[in-house]
């Protein structure tokens, strides 16, 4: 039974895993609706956050946005605790981004190979601004701000793009830098580690 008023239930009822919407589903191509404060403080919203968290963990993601589980609302979650990739250690506890606004703090770009739960089996090289600021509400409707550089800046941009109807494949400048996951691991990742 879910306890009213808590962010997560105190009695675990099992995962609330939702199917992931994949590229081609029209919900992934529309700008999402802002969340009202009343809805943000509702039990329905808390359930949505549980669904997002459980689905992200089940499918092995580090972030997920509401449209990816078929919900047309401006919310995404990201968790990168102890995450280390590309020589960067990133420690971001499970964070909820409601109605986020992103500001690019530099024109300097960086590139990373990105993957996405909604584009399974593929990796693509995407160049994005290296430093961003995001203003958002947390799950308690409190205003928050985060400034991020490096890989975390890329993750934020990737997840928040979902709320604007944009997939990472739209941002690939060179279509030759799109690969199936297995080939990426065999030919590209192996080459970058040498």
């Amino acid at each position: 039974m879910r306890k009213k008023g808590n962010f997560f239930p105190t009695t675990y009822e099992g995962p609330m895993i939702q199917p992931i919407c994949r590229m081609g589903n029209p919900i992934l191509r529309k700008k999402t609706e802002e969340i009202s404060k009343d809805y943000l403080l509702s039990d329905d919203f808390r359930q949505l956050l549980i669904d997002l968290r459980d689905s992200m963990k089940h499918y092995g993601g580090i972030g997920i946005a509401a449209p990816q589980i078929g919900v047309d609302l401006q919310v995404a979650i990201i968790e990168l605790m102890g995450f280390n990739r590309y020589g960067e250690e990133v420690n971001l506890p499970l964070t909820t981004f409601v109605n986020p606004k992103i500001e690019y703090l530099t024109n300097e770009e960086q590139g990373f190979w990105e993957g996405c739960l909604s584009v399974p089996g593929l990796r693509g090289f995407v160049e994005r601004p290296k430093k961003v600021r995001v203003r958002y509400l947390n799950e308690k409707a409190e205003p928050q701000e985060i400034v991020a550089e490096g890989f975390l800046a890329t993750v934020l941009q990737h997840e928040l793009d979902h709320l604007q109807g944009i997939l990472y494949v739209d941002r690939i400048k060179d279509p030759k830098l799109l690969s199936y996951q297995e080939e990426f691991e065999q030919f590209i990742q192996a080459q970058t580690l040498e």
Side-chain angles (χ1 to χ4, degrees):
M1 181 170 189
R2 300 200 188 284
K3 189 173 179 185
K4 209 171 181 180
N6 284 346
F7 175 57
F8 290 115
T10 53
T11 304
Y12 184 64
E13 293 181 358
M16 302 298 289
I17 298 158
Q18 303 298 319
I20 298 293
C21 298
R22 297 190 306 176
M23 185 168 57
N25 187 318
I27 197 164
L28 296 174
R29 293 308 194 170
K30 61 184 290 203
K31 186 174 178 179
T32 53
E33 298 291 325
E34 282 203 2
I35 294 175
S36 70
K37 188 170 181 181
D38 285 345
Y39 181 74
L40 200 159
L41 298 173
S42 72
D43 289 340
D44 286 345
F45 182 71
R46 282 189 288 281
Q47 183 60 54
L48 172 58
L49 292 182
I50 292 166
D51 292 353
L52 284 167
R53 182 202 59 195
D54 290 350
S55 301
M56 178 183 77
K57 289 186 180 299
H58 175 78
Y59 294 110
I62 58 175
I64 192 169
Q68 293 182 273
I69 61 168
V71 178
D72 179 22
L73 291 174
Q74 285 191 25
V75 59
I77 63 170
I78 297 171
E79 182 176 33
L80 291 168
M81 284 306 293
F83 193 82
N84 194 325
R85 185 184 278 188
Y86 304 110
E88 289 183 49
E89 187 169 335
V90 181
N91 288 302
L92 180 71
L94 183 63
T95 303
T96 301
F97 296 87
V98 177
N99 300 338
K101 305 287 184 255
I102 193 162
E103 178 186 353
Y104 304 103
L105 300 179
T106 180
N107 291 325
E108 185 182 354
E109 293 188 332
Q110 63 189 354
F112 293 103
W113 286 89
E114 298 184 25
C116 182
L117 298 176
S118 292
V119 188
L122 293 176
R123 286 277 202 200
F125 188 78
V126 182
E127 294 174 88
R128 298 180 183 268
K130 190 173 184 176
K131 187 174 183 181
V132 298
R133 174 186 290 120
V134 178
R135 292 183 172 96
Y136 61 98
L137 300 176
N138 66 13
E139 68 279 356
K140 297 174 184 172
E142 299 165 336
Q144 304 288 313
E145 179 179 305
I146 183 172
V147 174
E149 294 185 71
F151 186 65
L152 180 56
T154 289
V155 172
L156 285 165
Q157 291 171 80
H158 175 112
E159 292 307 330
L160 302 188
D161 267 358
H162 280 297
L163 306 181
Q164 302 300 316
I166 300 167
L167 297 174
Y168 83 87
V169 292
D170 303 333
R171 300 218 184 257
I172 296 173
K173 293 177 182 171
D174 182 351
K176 293 177 188 161
L177 298 177
L178 182 65
S179 170
Y180 283 105
Q181 179 68 33
E182 293 82 3
E183 284 70 18
F184 170 78
E185 291 170 2
Q186 182 179 356
F187 300 111
I188 299 166
Q189 191 173 40
Q191 192 176 33
T192 59
L193 295 176
E194 290 176 352

